Amino acid sequence: MKKIKDICTVWRIYLLALAKWLAVAALTGPLCGAIGAAFHVGVERVTELRAAHGWLLYTLPLLGLAIGGIYKLFGTSGVSTNNILEEVHSGRGVSLALLPTIFAATLLTHLGGGSVGREGAALQMGGTIGYQTGRLLRLDDSDLRTATTVGMAAFFAALFGTPMAATVFAMGITNVGRVYYVSLLPCLAAALSAYGVSLLLGVEPTAFAVDAPALAPGMLLRVAALAVLCAFVSVLFCETIHLAERLASKYLPNEWLCVVAGGCAIVGLTLLLGTTDYNGAGMAVITRAVERGEAAPAAFLLKLLFTAVSLSTGFKGGEVVPSFFVGATFGCIVGPLLGIPAHFAAAVGLVSVFCGAVNCPLASTFLALELFGAAGMLYFALACALSFVLSGYSGIYSSQRILYDKLKAQYINVQTNAHHAGK
């Protein structure tokens, strides 16, 4: 009888834990899916509006002031994706006010042509929803951190239509080298439900038609060479953005003057180049590179410049889609020089630069699977592995922690971009 009683006690603990995490996923996933769908549609509509009315570009400096005002009004000035990662690290909490502020600020940035992505807003909104759901369910501090991760996975899946990548990305983005598998079930359940809701609301998943070359030793070597170059591009991407942030903080300490100057710079650069390819997220350029093998030779550098100026001066959005742009256009130009078809090189470049920028090789490999299909899976896995190792300790999120050395099984526990890593 005692043995049966002990078994029942153990199963009771398991079932209660299962019920808890399914409740978190059931509340977080659909809500993230609905808000994510609204956000996705909103970004598309303001992008179409800007394309139809070119004069909106000239309002970017004023929109920057509006963004600063919104953050002041809601008391969220200075809050970014790094604060969401810090909640997972140390349980510092997330203000509900971040949800409407990042939603509105990102739409305004896209409306005026700021060069940003969407996932920064996704991680912030998703993390906020997950955290607040955990508070609603009266979870303890440890479980609140997991709930924050669940929200990040759900919102990422709703926006990009990649539930597997979203799950692994949310689990691995905070601490490189350590994954808490307790979050696997709720993250996946929330990501799948958010993805399903977004589909029901008309959001098409992000996917590209890519023909992968047959597996061959020669092509593996060529892809490896491209991945090595992409690792250095990812470092350039991260370091340029962080350098721009330091310069803006040093030379334009007044936040209002800073955002106006940034808006004017984007307007001037756009007029100088005579194209709007580098405004907004740039998904059309990414699609051309991946599906048609077409890109301007300097596109990756120009996108990096536009993105660094936009983010460092106070405009809101994210860095992931710009990293897609930089990687896809770089791969599209350099790949043929190595004997790789331009369109496939663009796909390899996209996931390689993304991987080096976020330090998440498994999530990047799953992302390639969901974006491009399984045909070139071994090529993508090789590229992600090389980019992860060779990109060093740079990253787009300064609150990300590198727990283990990339070159040795050694615990180092340093924040991303700490140059003493490994010493």
Side-chain angles (χ1 to χ4, degrees), residues 1 147 236 254 334 336 423:
M1 289 295 295
L236 175 66
N254 184 292
V334 175
K423 294 185 179 180

Side-chain angles (χ1 to χ4, degrees), residues 128-330:
T128 302
I129 292 170
Y131 176 80
Q132 296 297 334
T133 298
R135 289 191 62 192
L136 180 67
L137 295 175
R138 300 184 181 278
L139 302 183
D140 62 25
D141 177 68
S142 177
D143 287 346
L144 274 176
R145 302 184 197 190
T146 301
T148 304
T149 302
V150 171
M152 292 162 61
F155 216 104
F156 193 103
L159 276 190
F160 290 98
T162 55
M164 287 194 299
T167 297
V168 181
F169 179 71
M171 292 171 63
I173 187 62
T174 309
N175 297 304
V176 178
R178 177 187 294 165
V179 174
Y180 293 105
Y181 284 102
V182 66
S183 59
L184 175 59
L185 175 62
C187 279
L188 181 58
L192 288 171
S193 60
Y195 174 55
V197 169
S198 69
L199 285 178
L200 288 174
L201 294 176
V203 176
E204 292 292 329
T206 304
F208 302 95
V210 176
D211 293 324
L215 190 64
M219 186 57 67
L220 281 170
L221 291 175
R222 295 185 185 99
V223 168
L226 178 59
V228 170
L229 296 175
C230 286
F232 291 108
V233 171
S234 73
V235 174
L236 175 66
F237 180 83
C238 297
E239 294 299 325
T240 300
I241 289 177
H242 295 312
L243 174 62
E245 291 171 346
R246 293 193 295 270
L247 292 176
S249 177
K250 181 178 180 180
Y251 294 107
L252 292 168
N254 184 292
E255 61 183 285
W256 306 105
L257 179 60
C258 185
V259 77
V260 169
C264 290
I266 294 298
V267 172
L269 287 169
T270 303
L271 294 176
L272 180 64
L273 294 172
T275 178
T276 59
D277 279 354
Y278 308 104
N279 301 109
M283 287 302 297
V285 177
I286 296 171
T287 301
R288 285 202 303 269
V290 174
E291 295 191 345
R292 289 158 45 188
E294 299 174 2
F300 75 100
L301 291 173
L302 290 170
K303 183 63 174 179
L304 177 51
L305 174 62
F306 272 70
T307 301
V309 170
S310 298
L311 292 174
S312 66
T313 56
F315 292 97
K316 304 300 179 181
E319 303 90 344
V320 166
V321 174
S323 80
F324 288 177
F325 187 118
V326 169
T329 52
F330 176 79

Side-chain angles (χ1 to χ4, degrees), residues 112-132:
S115 182
V116 298
R118 300 169 295 178
E119 87 304 322
L123 296 181
Q124 291 177 52
M125 287 190 280
T128 302
I129 292 170
Y131 176 80
Q132 296 297 334

